[in-house]
Amino acid sequence: MTSFTIDDIREIQSFIGLNLDGFAESGLKLETDDDLLAWRDWLSSQPESQKVVGTQDPVGNLIPGDAGFWVRIEEHGKIVACHAFRMIETRSLLQDIMTWRIISNRRPLVHIDPIPLRPNVPDLSGRIGFGGGAYVHPGQRGRRLYRPMSRITWALGLRHYDLDWYAAFYRQTPQLRAASRSALFRNLGPLMNDIWPPHGVPLELNLAFMSRQEMLTTIRSHTGSGTDDGSAVYRIA
């Protein structure tokens, strides 16, 4: 893996700044926090929130303080939106999913049913940033906060954790493609359609991901130092 150049670091900062501009203009403030228990507690108390996702849940996972954070958007001192991030190092993301380690790594589980995955899912290895737990308060959902929030989250993770990959799970919904495109993911494909252990219910999930180089290329296209708009390499498996 090639180290970041000083120009890469400047481009990442420019990309973060571009996505922060809209918040400042709207009277919003973005903060980061390494306390994922605080994220879990806040998200669990919000209206119309999904169950806390297992991948970032610090109760089921041993997530060191230097391997996770959450982004929160505040208005007049109140949180109106959030997004969580976790970094893992692995030889096989797919094996971590099948053996539940992605959602429960604190201790070996005595009994598991391996999670069956779709055929031909690309396997990722190395330093992988995982996004999840995105939430926008119902009263704020017309303000399009998810797009810049999700982009800032992976850009911060890329720089801070020197990532090889960034990935996320997306439920199979009519908004699937739009949501993954909002976060600028380059690759999206079916992952599984089976019982998801954290919730104990059938769930159809997709895996969205992009490589380190794809992230840098996307950043350059948005800051004006590159020509790629992302459309040429966006793949739906």
Side-chain angles (χ1 to χ4, degrees), residues 88-125:
I88 63 172
E89 291 193 68
T90 181
R91 291 184 294 181
S92 169
L93 176 62
L94 297 188
Q95 183 168 289
D96 285 355
I97 296 170
M98 287 188 290
T99 59
W100 300 23
R101 281 201 303 269
I102 192 71
I103 52 174
S104 183
N105 71 356
R106 280 193 171 271
R107 57 183 173 77
L109 301 175
V110 178
H111 300 289
I112 67 165
D113 247 340
I115 299 173
L117 303 181
R118 299 280 197 177
N120 304 316
V121 180
D123 202 1
L124 311 182
S125 62

Side-chain angles (χ1 to χ4, degrees), residues 171-234:
R171 287 181 171 87
Q172 183 68 35
T173 68
Q175 295 78 35
L176 166 65
R177 185 178 296 209
S180 62
R181 279 189 181 275
S182 289
L184 297 177
F185 277 108
R186 296 298 193 92
N187 311 279
L188 175 69
L191 175 69
M192 59 158 285
N193 185 8
D194 210 277
I195 299 296
W196 184 238
H199 301 167
V201 296
L203 199 60
E204 188 170 0
L205 287 181
N206 295 268
L207 178 66
F209 63 94
M210 50 186 162
S211 70
R212 178 188 184 91
Q213 188 55 54
E214 286 172 335
M215 284 186 275
L216 288 173
T217 298
T218 296
I219 285 169
R220 294 187 188 109
S221 73
H222 282 256
T223 58
S225 63
T227 57
D228 172 38
D229 66 358
S231 60
V233 294
Y234 189 91

